Amino acid sequence: VGVSNAFSMVYRGHRNIRTVKEVNFFGSEQQFVVSGSDDGRIYMWERWSGKLVWVSVGDRRVVNCVQGSGGRLVLATAGIDYHVKLWTPLAPLPL
């Protein structure tokens, strides 16, 4: 099976120069794309529009790993500072 060079969506903003970065879908309906970055930040885009909706410092140097927890709104990140961090939304979820 051949692979096309065409992309259905491109997400811009993060840096990927030194190490491999994990990219994952995130959200209750997988409506976001999240990635680590060589600038120490975590980036989140709307999946279908590609709009950057959230950026946060996740490490002093590099964020390599980002992983959601399925339908739960918890994001785990890891970089090279020896810590795994868990992120959750500030607003409470509706019951």
Side-chain angles (χ1 to χ4, degrees), residues 3-95:
V3 176
S4 169
N5 286 334
F7 300 101
S8 59
M9 181 61 68
V10 176
Y11 304 95
R12 301 188 188 280
H14 74 298
R15 307 267 189 264
N16 189 9
I17 299 168
R18 292 179 271 174
T19 57
V20 174
K21 306 300 173 289
E22 198 170 55
V23 177
N24 279 299
F25 295 107
F26 181 71
S28 59
E29 297 178 29
Q30 306 295 293
Q31 68 270 34
F32 300 104
V33 172
V34 291
S35 176
S37 178
D38 278 337
D39 62 7
R41 293 182 173 97
I42 306 156
Y43 289 80
M44 183 182 296
W45 299 268
E46 287 180 346
R47 179 178 180 179
W48 302 112
S49 71
K51 178 183 175 186
L52 183 63
V53 294
W54 182 70
V55 178
S56 185
V57 174
D59 189 274
R60 290 180 306 175
R61 294 188 282 176
V62 175
V63 176
N64 288 319
C65 301
V66 293
Q67 183 68 51
S69 62
R72 299 181 68 194
L73 295 178
V74 177
L75 183 68
T77 64
I80 54 178
D81 69 356
Y82 307 109
H83 301 286
V84 173
K85 298 173 182 93
L86 299 179
W87 306 79
T88 60
L90 294 176
L93 294 173
L95 298 176

